[in-house]
Amino acid sequence: MPLLYSIGKVTVGNALMIGWRPHVEGLEFVPRTGGVIFAGNHLSVADELFLGAVVPRHLAFWAKSDYFDGTGLSGWFTRNLLNGLGAIRVQRAGGRDALAAFDGAIPVLKAGDCVVVYPEGTRSPDGRLYRGRTGVARLAVAAGVPIIPVGTLGTEKVQPIGQPYPMPFRGKITVKFGKPIETTGRADDRTSLRALTDEVMAEIQKLTGQEYVPRYAPAKAASPE
């Protein structure tokens, strides 16, 4: 686990656990070792914070390339912070550039680390669960690692869209983990990847109870597929 990430778990992670006391279910499904993808619903920026707080392993999150390319003192600080946390760079443009981010994540997974993917590609605009993009399936099959469905509830109240930081005494946080979905031996053609993605989204929906929308959420920014 990167040193900066370890420091963050002790400081920010413990503050989140003490301040909000999230309810956690299914943590026994999280393997102690080996590469794995966490695929969750996405209601708030706080999803990443609480997931990182409750999972005892290092999680590699995606970060927009803009954050790595800033200039001046703030740009230097942000770039070194993300590198220290083990973040994975992703292009805003999507398409082939975004797929390069997945190529970069495959060695991370094969080395035994964990990667977090939000298949909807953007935060839900209305609290419903939208159709998943196939990038999560493509990455899992290419790396040969299982996918763990994650359902997070309450974060949209703790940190609504537009709110810069989590607000105390707002909402109850619940994080649920489902049984790992094995991908070894799965085909990587378009139809098979679509079927695997739909399977993942169905498991997420079981965890959250959200209304499912069989179309893509309107994207705020391009994300890898």
Side-chain angles (χ1 to χ4, degrees):
M1 184 179 295
L3 176 60
L4 191 57
Y5 193 92
S6 299
I7 294 172
K9 282 193 69 67
V10 173
T11 54
V12 178
N14 282 339
L16 292 171
M17 295 298 289
I18 294 171
W20 281 270
R21 298 185 181 277
H23 174 71
V24 182
E25 297 180 14
L27 195 59
E28 67 273 14
F29 295 131
V30 177
R32 295 185 179 181
T33 60
V36 65
I37 294 174
F38 291 90
N41 63 319
H42 202 13
L43 297 173
S44 165
V45 173
D47 296 335
E48 299 180 355
L49 295 175
F50 285 99
L51 187 58
V54 303
V55 174
R57 299 181 57 185
H58 172 251
L59 303 180
F61 292 93
W62 306 98
K64 292 180 291 188
S65 60
D66 305 45
Y67 296 142
F68 291 88
D69 299 331
T71 58
L73 182 60
S74 62
W76 175 87
F77 175 80
T78 301
R79 181 167 54 255
N80 282 277
L81 174 65
L82 292 175
N83 286 329
L85 292 173
I88 299 173
R89 178 178 180 142
V90 60
Q91 297 288 344
R92 288 173 61 95
R96 190 174 300 276
D97 287 337
L99 290 176
F102 279 175
D103 291 339
I106 290 174
V108 173
L109 290 164
K110 288 188 174 181
D113 212 344
C114 308
V115 170
V116 179
V117 177
Y118 294 106
E120 291 171 278
T122 188
R123 285 169 290 177
S124 172
D126 53 18
R128 296 185 294 176
L129 183 68
Y130 284 79
R131 190 184 196 210
R133 298 180 180 272
T134 57
V136 61
R138 182 181 293 112
L139 179 60
V141 171
V145 299
I147 301 171
I148 295 183
V150 182
T152 305
L153 299 168
T155 50
E156 77 283 5
K157 297 178 181 178
V158 170
Q159 189 174 0
I161 294 176
Q163 171 67 26
Y165 52 83
M167 296 180 291
F169 314 114
R170 292 283 296 272
K172 172 64 178 176
I173 303 297
T174 299
V175 183
K176 299 180 180 181
F177 299 94
K179 294 180 179 180
I181 299 173
E182 296 298 331
T183 65
T184 303
R186 299 257 192 165
D188 61 357
D189 60 276
R190 183 183 297 271
T191 300
S192 299
L193 294 177
R194 180 74 260 166
L196 176 55
T197 303
D198 290 343
E199 180 183 346
V200 171
M201 299 310 294
E203 292 302 315
I204 293 174
Q205 196 277 332
K206 290 178 183 177
L207 295 171
T208 66
Q210 292 170 277
E211 177 185 349
Y212 180 72
V213 182
R215 65 175 184 273
Y216 296 132
K220 303 295 183 184
S223 60
E225 175 172 344

